[in-house]
Amino acid sequence: MAVVRPFKGIRPTKELVDKVAALPYDVMNTEEAREMVKENPYSFLHVDKAQIDLPIETNQYDEIVYNTARGNLDKMRENGTYIQDGSPCMYVYRQVMDGRVQTGIVGCTSIDDYMNNIIKKHENTRAEKERDRINHVNYCNANTGPIFLTYRNVGEIDEIVAKYTAEEPEYNFVSEDGISHIIWVIDNASDVKRLEELFSGVDYLYIADGHHRAASAVNVGKMRREANKEYTGEEEFNFFLSVIFPADDLYIMDYNRVVKDLNNNSSEEFLAKVNEKFDVEEYVGEGQYKPEGKAMVGMYLDGKWYKLTAKEGTYDPADPVKSLDVSILQENVLTPILGIDDPKTSDRIDFVGGIRGLGELERRVAEGMKVAFAMYPTSIEELMNIADAGKLMPPKSTWFEPKLRSGIFVHELT
């Protein structure tokens, strides 16, 4: 049922791919991006965060930013940084991080599948973030950042992937964070056709990461349909750039929380209230306490680590959302004790991706936060079950690593 089709990829030359490839635009701020591109005029951040090439006082949502992004992309195509495949292809994108491998198919997915919930979501999107990427995609006339999708494994897709990964890759480089990025071009027409057929037998695709990019791409497609009443559905604006990984390959890291204060509780009062919902045990082992299983939370308070185990009756194990560890913490500690009703808007809470390690929680507390919580990671099966149930995860439930690089593939909309 899912539509996945090839496209004429716009991609860097072999000599420049390692300089062009960049982290997604939304994992760093403008100042960090400016620092990252120093002495690298090829970085795709010149397209994805074009305000770095404008005066510091420039509003990142100003029209000049989107015009600059388009101009920078055009220059990269004109000066030979980018080439374009002459016929529609799919691609294999493999990432290796700390010895762990994930290998996906790069292709284009359908805006209709998104609207009809064949591409399933597990997060809400925010209108202001959508508007930014709508403008970016529309001005650039291209999908510049891939959507990270997953699906339940299909054996024959794995076999086709294995056939290509046994060959010499088109690209093979290691990014500055030590992650290997290896790409093969699937340009054999019969293999491409077979992959299209195999994906058409996949009931659902799931957004793992990139909800705002996906929503923005869909909105641009709808805008262009409105402007082109005679559209056939085959135009490139009806599809958006995706990398689709089998679920068994993926790894979700913990997404931890730090809170500024105890909501007018003393440490003793706070611990007593937490003890009503959790069995609280001071951790006496080496280093930090990392949760060992579901319904367990690590807590760092006043220089000590505690092991929290949710008591029976504090959550519904049959509910795919309420049984998430981030939900258990939210419903039993963050809301009733710490008074943080909406973690999306509260300025008293912050979130720390697991890639930073639990030592980062100790550092944040030392710098002024009061308490930190180390979470047990959400599983990919939990993500898919929630999407299947038509429900949404709490904010900041999943942290995927490694991150897909932007700039390796660009999908032109006309």
Side-chain angles (χ1 to χ4, degrees), residues 142-208:
N143 302 136
T144 58
I147 314 306
F148 187 160
L149 301 178
T150 188
Y151 64 100
R152 291 183 170 92
N153 293 52
V154 176
E156 194 176 339
I157 293 177
D158 295 341
E159 291 171 11
I160 294 173
V161 167
K163 168 185 163 183
Y164 280 87
T165 57
E167 300 174 355
E168 187 72 19
E170 178 75 3
Y171 303 132
N172 188 350
F173 67 95
V174 178
S175 52
E176 66 284 349
D177 52 3
I179 295 168
S180 295
H181 304 265
I182 313 166
I183 291 94
W184 294 263
V185 180
I186 305 176
D187 53 6
N188 179 286
S190 62
D191 287 337
V192 169
K193 186 175 187 302
R194 185 58 184 148
L195 284 168
E196 290 185 83
E197 292 169 349
L198 290 167
F199 275 112
S200 72
V202 171
D203 290 333
Y204 301 108
L205 301 174
Y206 300 82
I207 297 179

Side-chain angles (χ1 to χ4, degrees), residues 244-257:
I244 313 163
F245 292 92
D248 289 354
D249 274 17
L250 298 186
Y251 173 57
I252 304 178
M253 299 188 77
D254 42 305
Y255 213 154
N256 304 309
R257 280 91 168 107

Side-chain angles (χ1 to χ4, degrees), residues 94-97 99-103 248-250:
R94 171 171 286 174
Q95 295 177 294
V96 184
M97 174 181 168
R100 192 181 59 79
V101 179
Q102 61 183 36
T103 308
D248 289 354
D249 274 17
L250 298 186

